[in-house]
Amino acid sequence: MKYRRKLACLVLTGAMFLLSACGALSATNTLGGGSTGGLIPITAGVAASQSSTAILVGEQHGFFAQNGIDLTIGRAATGAGAITQVINGQQQVALGGISPVVIAAASHIPVQIVSGAVADRPAAAGAQYQTMVAGGSPIRSFKDLAGKTVAVNSLKCCWEFWIREAIEKDGGDSSSVHLVQLTFPDQVTALEQGKVDAISTAQPYATALRKKGFRDIGDSPAVAFADPDADNTVFFMAKSFIDQHPGIVERWRKAVRESSEYANAHPDETRNAIVKQTKADPALVAQAPLPLYTADVSRQVIEKEAAFTVKYGVVSPAPAYGTYVVP
């Protein structure tokens, strides 16, 4: 119990630091007064990445307005950092991994998963998540990461859990891996300079490294979940916002579903939107595989990740599924 209280404080303090470091996040992160033309105003806190592109495309095509939502795209660097922003009402929905919501719920912070966002999927150009090593590295599989230094995007979160699970399922000792937290761009630099043995990364960084001769040893979440199509990124809201707006979850899910279906069916337009919001190299984005955009969530995947938070000592026990996922 003492550890959970400390963890909750760390999550909230970290999120407040994010807010102060960014200063006034801009008018796009402020909920206006009341509804707009009968629409419910929602600011979505997302990172500038391909994971959030479907709702950007959907907003441009009017899918959210058609479902009674006045959507504004805001910014949140991480899912954990967005927890405070949705709790404080600075944003009404945010994009992130499953584990920050589980950890928050275990600390009685009232946030709930309301829809899916993206799912992994195998593709000829590579999976969404890849574990990259140097071309000449002796590391050939996840078990070879035991005793090595691996960079991940976040610790005590999904990226750490996935790597540890993949090592264990491949017969290695996950307790001996040395994990360091680095942003995706910094991971690339560290791997290129030989400061880490491997990195657990996402697209389009993996594709960029493969073009330079680096090698992929596997998709860690696919191994961790025993599912190459696991939908492991979600949208979540504060329970207070959900309670104050009956029917908002159904509206949100319908708009996300329509946006996802459109984005999946129009890959060229989706890639153009990725380039616009991330400023990534268009040639690289054109070669990198796209995720599967989806409004669906998998109870099996969510409960597996909740189990990871317990297995790796972040929470105990895991919160009840119904407390952090809207049916």
Side-chain angles (χ1 to χ4, degrees), residues 235-298:
F235 285 105
F236 56 87
M237 294 178 178
K239 188 175 185 303
S240 58
F241 181 76
I242 296 169
D243 291 344
Q244 291 162 12
H245 299 83
I248 191 60
V249 173
E250 290 73 17
R251 292 192 195 189
W252 175 261
R253 287 175 178 167
K254 189 169 185 292
V256 172
R257 182 169 293 106
E258 292 171 355
S259 300
S260 298
E261 290 172 353
Y262 185 91
N264 292 332
H266 298 83
D268 291 341
E269 184 176 344
T270 300
R271 284 190 165 90
N272 288 338
I274 291 170
V275 171
K276 183 177 180 180
Q277 73 163 330
T278 65
K279 313 303 180 188
D281 178 1
L284 178 60
V285 173
Q287 295 179 46
L290 293 174
L292 177 68
Y293 296 103
T294 179
D296 298 332
V297 295
S298 164

Side-chain angles (χ1 to χ4, degrees), residues 198-228:
I199 66 173
S200 180
T201 190
Q203 297 295 353
Y205 301 100
T207 293
L209 284 167
R210 288 172 69 171
K211 290 178 64 178
K212 294 179 180 180
F214 290 83
R215 183 164 42 81
D216 169 35
I217 65 166
D219 180 341
S220 62
V223 175
F225 293 119
D227 182 359

Side-chain angles (χ1 to χ4, degrees), residues 38-261:
L39 306 181
I40 297 176
I42 288 183
T43 294
V46 301
S49 72
Q50 65 179 18
S51 295
S52 58
T53 302
I55 66 166
L56 178 63
V57 171
E59 188 277 330
Q60 293 171 344
H61 285 277
F63 298 135
F64 287 88
Q66 291 167 17
N67 285 286
I69 295 172
D70 178 22
L71 182 66
T72 298
I73 305 296
R75 288 288 172 244
T78 66
I83 297 285
T84 294
Q85 290 168 278
V86 298
I87 288 293
N88 288 348
Q90 293 163 306
Q91 296 175 343
Q92 290 65 54
V93 67
L95 174 73
I98 296 165
S99 50
V101 180
V102 174
I103 293 167
S107 298
H108 307 293
I109 299 172
V111 292
Q112 294 183 309
I113 293 170
V114 294
S115 78
V118 296
D120 198 1
R121 60 174 168 180
Q128 284 303 299
Y129 307 97
Q130 297 184 24
T131 309
M132 305 299 297
V133 299
S137 170
I139 298 171
R140 295 288 169 181
S141 67
F142 285 112
K143 69 179 178 182
D144 294 335
L145 294 178
K148 302 296 192 295
T149 299
V150 181
V152 295
N153 188 54
S154 56
L155 296 171
K156 302 300 180 186
C157 196
C158 54
W159 292 95
E160 174 175 347
F161 305 151
W162 297 342
I163 280 291
R164 291 194 185 279
E165 278 295 298
I167 292 171
E168 285 200 5
K169 288 187 174 180
D170 197 35
D173 177 10
S174 71
S175 67
S176 69
V177 67
H178 177 54
L179 298 175
V180 295
Q181 182 171 317
L182 293 173
T183 64
F184 291 128
D186 288 343
Q187 287 180 18
V188 171
T189 301
L191 184 62
E192 290 178 334
Q193 294 178 351
K195 294 181 178 179
V196 296
D197 299 300
I199 66 173
S200 180
T201 190
Q203 297 295 353
Y205 301 100
T207 293
L209 284 167
R210 288 172 69 171
K211 290 178 64 178
K212 294 179 180 180
F214 290 83
R215 183 164 42 81
D216 169 35
I217 65 166
D219 180 341
S220 62
V223 175
F225 293 119
D227 182 359
D229 302 302
D231 43 340
N232 47 48
T233 303
V234 296
F235 285 105
F236 56 87
M237 294 178 178
K239 188 175 185 303
S240 58
F241 181 76
I242 296 169
D243 291 344
Q244 291 162 12
H245 299 83
I248 191 60
V249 173
E250 290 73 17
R251 292 192 195 189
W252 175 261
R253 287 175 178 167
K254 189 169 185 292
V256 172
R257 182 169 293 106
E258 292 171 355
S259 300
S260 298
E261 290 172 353

Side-chain angles (χ1 to χ4, degrees), residues 12-22:
L12 293 173
T13 301
M16 291 307 294
F17 176 79
L18 175 65
L19 290 173
S20 61
C22 293

